[in-house]
Amino acid sequence: MEPHIDATPVPALDSVPPPWPQSQPRTPTVHTTSTADRGSFCLAVCSCGWKGPARRSRDLARKDAAAHEATDTA
């Protein structure tokens, strides 16, 4: 078997700078949650981009949103 000679070399992962300076803390994201209906399912969504699992119960989707806000996870 011959080696691939047309492959493009990429730099080592540790040589690529991170997308933001590591010395500065990232600004906290404000979490604004709501529920969204998708057919017969309801899911919790957040302004940070988080989405909860699809539920048949709106109450469970609201609980997912409250738990997301309480844990402050993205």
Side-chain angles (χ1 to χ4, degrees), residues 5 7 10 12 14-16 20 23 25 31 33 35 37 42-46 54 57 61 68 72:
I5 56 174
V10 295
D14 57 351
S15 68
V16 178
W20 62 88
S23 60
H31 294 277
T33 58
T35 57
D37 290 331
C42 184
L43 62 137
V45 293
C46 182
S57 167
H68 172 73
D72 196 37

Side-chain angles (χ1 to χ4, degrees), residues 16-60:
V16 178
W20 62 88
Q22 293 294 319
S23 60
Q24 297 176 356
R26 296 178 75 180
T27 57
T29 304
V30 176
H31 294 277
T32 306
T33 58
S34 62
T35 57
D37 290 331
R38 299 285 188 265
S40 60
F41 292 93
C42 184
L43 62 137
V45 293
C46 182
S47 59
C48 72
W50 173 86
K51 292 180 184 172
R55 307 278 194 178
R56 289 209 182 256
S57 167
R58 283 191 182 92
D59 187 50
L60 285 177

Side-chain angles (χ1 to χ4, degrees), residues 3-13:
H4 296 285
I5 56 174
D6 295 333
T8 305
V10 295
L13 188 57

